Amino acid sequence: MIVVNTETIPGYEIVAVKGLVQGNTIRAKHLGRDITASLKNLVGGELTQYTELLTESRRQAVERMIQQAQELGADAIVNVRFTTSSIAAGAAELYAYGTAVTTVGSTATPSAGSFSPPPATPRSTGGPGSVPPPPPSVD
Amino acid sequence: MEILIQIVVPLASVVVLLMLGFTIGRTRERRHFADLEHREATNSKFLVTNLKTVPPGMQPQTATLVLGATVIASDYLKTFLSGFRMIFGGEMKSYSSMIERARREARLRMIESARAAGAMAVINIRFETSNVSGTTGRNAAPMSEVLCYGTALLPSGH
């Protein structure tokens, strides 16, 4: 699942728009964290535990959004936006939304300026006992 | 005598808290700004833009979302001084520096996670600021979250 906040995906072409997908989560603050936070309010600076809490919650919201996109049969989400809002004292809502789309292959394999489709022959002519191709260099 | 205690004790605690905010808060802020400048200098060659399109000359194979976030609190002195500022109006310098710190930190975290993923640039970045203290009124201690997110351009599949 490719997730980007641009309207297009570099290297891919969008062939179908599946619709809006969203994910949200509302998190309450932890009492122990609140105590350390109130101490931090005296000296200022970053509230590391809150940063972690919100980052974790936001990841959950994104995961819910991705799950919705998978249910729609999409393989990418474009134009993702985030919003955070204070719902009640001590609770925050994290919301992520975007457009689920289906994409087709990489358009970033230029073959001398022509519009020829990518080669149909698979890279590994995997007969029985043949050596599998080396895995693509990841990272 | 009892009246004296009732006045002196709260006053002394306020003074102690102000001193604490002034000494520790200022030191930490200065240290943080020095750290930000150092990290910004190491990442100064890395392209970060809020344009929506791929910059000319770059041919990314794929892309991914990158995020950077931080929650920041103000110190006691700043909260105290802002009470006066509320009376006279004008720019709240103490809070601007607080938000500036958070925003630069969030942006740097996003850049660092993009570089860790091997990205060549980050496009279409957005900033979002929100109040997470959840309380309002006189005793509200400002706490803000700054989120920075964008699309990292990757040279190969991730």
Side-chain angles (χ1 to χ4, degrees), chain A residues 2-7 10 12 29 40-47 50-51 54 58 80-84 89 108, chain B residues 21 25 28 52 61 63-65 67 69-71 73-76 109 124 128 130 133-134 141 143 145 149-151 153:
Chain A
I2 299 166
V3 181
V4 294
N5 75 333
T6 47
E7 282 156 39
Y12 291 82
K29 290 189 283 195
K40 256 295 169 55
N41 268 317
L42 302 177
V43 294
E46 196 196 346
L47 300 162
Y50 277 176
T51 307
L54 289 176
R58 193 168 283 119
V80 171
R81 294 286 180 269
F82 292 99
T83 59
T84 310
Chain B
R28 285 167 60 101
K52 289 179 178 180
Q61 293 291 307
T64 187
L65 199 70
L67 300 161
T70 180
V71 179
S74 87
D75 59 56
Y76 195 81
R109 283 184 184 171
N124 202 29
E128 213 209 80
S130 54
S133 64
M143 243 194 278
E145 195 210 14
Y149 60 102
T151 297
L153 304 178

Side-chain angles (χ1 to χ4, degrees), chain A residues 2 7 12 25 29 32 38-39 47 55 61 68 91 94 108 123 131 138:
Chain A
I2 299 166
E7 282 156 39
Y12 291 82
T25 176
K29 290 189 283 195
S38 61
L39 291 176
L47 300 162
T55 305
Q68 258 189 32
L94 300 144
R123 274 183 200 157
V131 182
V138 183

Side-chain angles (χ1 to χ4, degrees), chain B:
Chain B
M1 189 62 195
E2 216 163 88
I3 292 168
L4 199 71
I5 288 170
Q6 275 178 355
I7 294 170
V8 166
V9 169
L11 204 69
S13 67
V14 165
V15 169
V16 165
L17 290 176
L18 284 177
M19 294 289 285
L20 204 72
F22 184 73
T23 52
I24 302 176
R26 281 291 155 86
T27 318
R28 285 167 60 101
E29 183 167 275
R30 208 168 296 140
R31 211 174 289 162
H32 190 207
F33 271 124
D35 178 53
L36 286 174
E37 256 153 47
H38 170 73
R39 282 157 70 203
E40 271 166 8
T42 49
N43 290 310
S44 62
K45 292 274 161 61
F46 190 76
L47 181 68
V48 175
T49 168
N50 66 347
L51 293 175
K52 289 179 178 180
T53 50
V54 176
M58 282 190 186
Q59 285 193 328
Q61 293 291 307
T62 185
T64 187
L65 199 70
V66 281
L67 300 161
T70 180
V71 179
I72 204 158
S74 87
D75 59 56
Y76 195 81
L77 180 77
K78 285 180 176 180
T79 317
F80 186 82
L81 289 179
S82 75
F84 288 106
R85 188 55 84 189
M86 291 288 190
I87 301 170
F88 303 113
E91 192 195 349
M92 299 176 97
K93 285 219 179 79
S94 51
Y95 283 172
S96 350
S97 77
M98 178 185 107
I99 293 291
E100 188 201 333
R101 274 169 76 187
R103 200 160 280 141
R104 284 165 74 177
E105 179 70 40
R107 183 175 162 274
L108 279 169
R109 283 184 184 171
M110 185 199 70
I111 292 172
E112 280 159 4
S113 79
R115 292 190 79 165
M120 50 175 99
V122 180
I123 61 169
N124 202 29
I125 70 158
R126 296 282 182 271
F127 283 103
E128 213 209 80
T129 315
S130 54
N131 173 25
V132 292
S133 64
T135 50
T136 48
R138 207 174 66 85
N139 292 322
M143 243 194 278
S144 295
E145 195 210 14
V146 175
L147 167 70
C148 181
Y149 60 102
T151 297
L153 304 178
L154 300 171
S156 64
H158 60 92

Side-chain angles (χ1 to χ4, degrees), chain A residues 9-128:
Chain A
I9 308 168
Y12 291 82
E13 200 179 331
I14 294 167
V15 289
V17 176
K18 295 288 184 183
L20 193 75
V21 285
Q22 57 195 19
N24 77 334
T25 176
I26 299 177
R27 279 297 176 94
K29 290 189 283 195
H30 188 262
L31 184 68
R33 282 175 169 147
D34 238 16
I35 292 165
T36 52
S38 61
L39 291 176
K40 256 295 169 55
N41 268 317
L42 302 177
V43 294
E46 196 196 346
L47 300 162
T48 321
Q49 284 161 315
Y50 277 176
T51 307
E52 280 165 14
L53 178 78
L54 289 176
T55 305
E56 188 52 47
S57 312
R58 193 168 283 119
R59 189 171 302 141
Q60 195 180 15
V62 170
E63 259 152 34
R64 286 177 184 172
M65 179 177 73
I66 288 173
Q67 204 181 331
Q68 258 189 32
Q70 280 166 346
E71 280 162 18
L72 289 172
D75 60 7
I77 306 172
V78 294
N79 216 19
V80 171
R81 294 286 180 269
F82 292 99
T83 59
T84 310
S85 47
S86 219
I87 295 293
E93 191 208 19
L94 300 144
Y95 182 57
Y97 60 101
T99 302
V101 296
T102 47
T103 56
V104 73
S106 176
T107 56
T109 45
S111 50
S114 69
F115 286 98
S116 62
T121 46
R123 274 183 200 157
S124 96
T125 50

